[in-house]
């Protein structure tokens, strides 16, 4: 089969198509014919081996897929790697049935990024009606879903994005205001977007602008860190948190899946149901041939894309 198998760590240039053996399922696994593979910013960390978990070579990247089982079921699944391929072996217990009203593209967009957006808002930040939520990278896959889910929770949403096109997308999805994520004074840009008032929640993934966003939080405000796109560590003075009554939380999806699997099924049911009912939009930013995985990674890192990026292994 065709797959992106990397033999050395590096940037987008290591993402080359190779012919590799078909996966051999172990007990309890099913081989899925992959229709679409999802791409995430975390993938750019994994191929460089600077992600939260140590990676090993050779490696087929890709942590989420949609496709068809040998008995004809349409399914989606999170995977432990192996998604950038024509076929991948997945534990039967991890398969999520795709409703008829949901496309392969939408299904993949609801896996890692839909689950992340939902967990950030409801499991970590515990957003309440009437609160103000700032969403970083609001035009991206996770951000565009978080904007909508925050609005549905009754929050006021301020979307941070880098272009007018992305601002327009966020407003269409329900954002109450937008701000330039690259503003020279990001704190003031956020406060201005909120009518001069401080905010209650920030969803932070960039690694940059952290201090400005922390400064824009009001008392009892929460900033949830779920990424570090700029690969820039930040430091927090605990005495400052004590004096200002603010909270900083970190979130990585893997421990939630491992420790609270009881939540995962209900969250997926809610997300898939909302899309099937036309109440939630999965923004698809592009479907790339497998051979253009490197191009997709480059465009994602350079912030030239919006929404969810996908690979089509058949091309």
């Amino acid at each position: 089969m065709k797959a992106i198998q990397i033999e050395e760590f590096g940037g987008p240039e290591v993402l080359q198509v190779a012919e590799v053996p078909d996966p051999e399922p172990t007990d309890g696994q099913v081989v899925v014919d992959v229709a679409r593979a999802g791409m995430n910013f975390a993938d750019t960390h994994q191929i460089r081996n600077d992600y939260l978990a140590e990676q090993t070579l050779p490696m087929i990247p890709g942590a989420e897929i949609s496709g068809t089982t040998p008995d004809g079921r349409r399914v989606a699944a999170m995977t432990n790697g192996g998604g950038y391929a024509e076929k991948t072996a997945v534990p039967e217990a991890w398969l999520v049935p795709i409703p008829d009203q949901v496309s392969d593209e939408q299904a993949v967009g609801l896996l890692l990024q839909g689950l992340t957006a939902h967990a950030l808002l409801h499991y970590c930040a515990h957003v309440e009606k009437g609160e103000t939520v700032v969403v970083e990278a609001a035009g991206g896959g996770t951000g565009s879903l978080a904007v909508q889910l925050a609005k549905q929770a009754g929050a006021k949403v301020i979307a941070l994005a880098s272009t007018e096109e992305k601002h327009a997308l966020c407003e269409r999805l329900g954002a109450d205001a937008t701000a330039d994520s690259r503003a020279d004074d990001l704190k003031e840009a956020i406060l201005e977007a909120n009518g001069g008032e401080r905010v209650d929640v920030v969803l932070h993934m960039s690694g940059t602008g952290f201090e400005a966003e922390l400064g824009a939080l009001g008392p009892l405000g929460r900033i949830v860190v779920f990424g570090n796109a700029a690969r820039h560590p930040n430091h927090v003075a605990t005495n400052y948190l004590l004096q200002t009554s603010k909270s900083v939380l970190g979130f990585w999806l893997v421990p939630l899946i491992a420790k609270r699997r009881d939540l995962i099924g209900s969250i997926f049911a809610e997300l898939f149901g909302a899309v099937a009912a036309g109440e939630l939009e999965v923004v698809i930013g592009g479907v790339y041939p497998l051979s253009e995985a490197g191009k997709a990674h480059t465009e994602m890192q350079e912030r030239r894309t919006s929404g969810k990026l996908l690979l089509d292994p058949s091309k």
Side-chain angles (χ1 to χ4, degrees), residues 4 51 80 86 88 125 138 204 248:
I4 300 290
Y51 194 49
N80 188 22
E86 291 183 298
T88 190
H204 176 90
V248 178

Side-chain angles (χ1 to χ4, degrees), residues 1 8 133 161 164 177 313 315:
M1 69 173 186
E8 60 179 342
V133 177
E164 289 302 319
K315 298 180 180 178

Side-chain angles (χ1 to χ4, degrees), residues 236-245:
V236 182
T238 55
N239 209 41
Y240 170 79
L241 299 179
L242 174 63
Q243 291 171 335
T244 59
S245 197

Side-chain angles (χ1 to χ4, degrees), residues 51 78 111-113 115-116 119 251-258 264:
Y51 194 49
M78 293 180 289
L111 292 177
L112 291 174
Q113 291 176 322
L115 185 56
T116 296
F251 178 72
W252 184 27
L253 190 58
V254 169
L256 180 69
I257 295 171
I264 306 306

Side-chain angles (χ1 to χ4, degrees), residues 123-165:
Y123 187 77
C124 296
H126 298 286
V127 170
E128 297 181 357
K129 184 177 181 179
E131 290 192 312
T132 300
V133 177
V134 176
V135 179
E136 269 199 0
T142 301
S144 60
L145 291 168
V147 166
Q148 297 173 78
L149 294 174
K151 283 298 295 180
Q152 291 173 10
K156 176 181 179 180
V157 178
I158 298 172
L160 299 187
S162 58
T163 68
E164 289 302 319
E165 180 183 24

Side-chain angles (χ1 to χ4, degrees), residues 39 48 50 63 75 96 107 118 134 141 186 205 207 229 235 268 289 312:
M39 287 183 282
R48 293 183 183 275
D50 63 3
V75 296
V96 179
H118 192 285
V134 176
L186 183 58
M205 60 78 64
H235 303 279
F268 279 148
D312 181 351

Side-chain angles (χ1 to χ4, degrees), residues 6 8-14 43-49:
I6 69 170
E8 60 179 342
F9 295 118
E13 72 282 353
V14 305
D43 298 350
T44 71
H45 286 279
Q46 288 180 319
I47 67 171
R48 293 183 183 275
N49 199 24

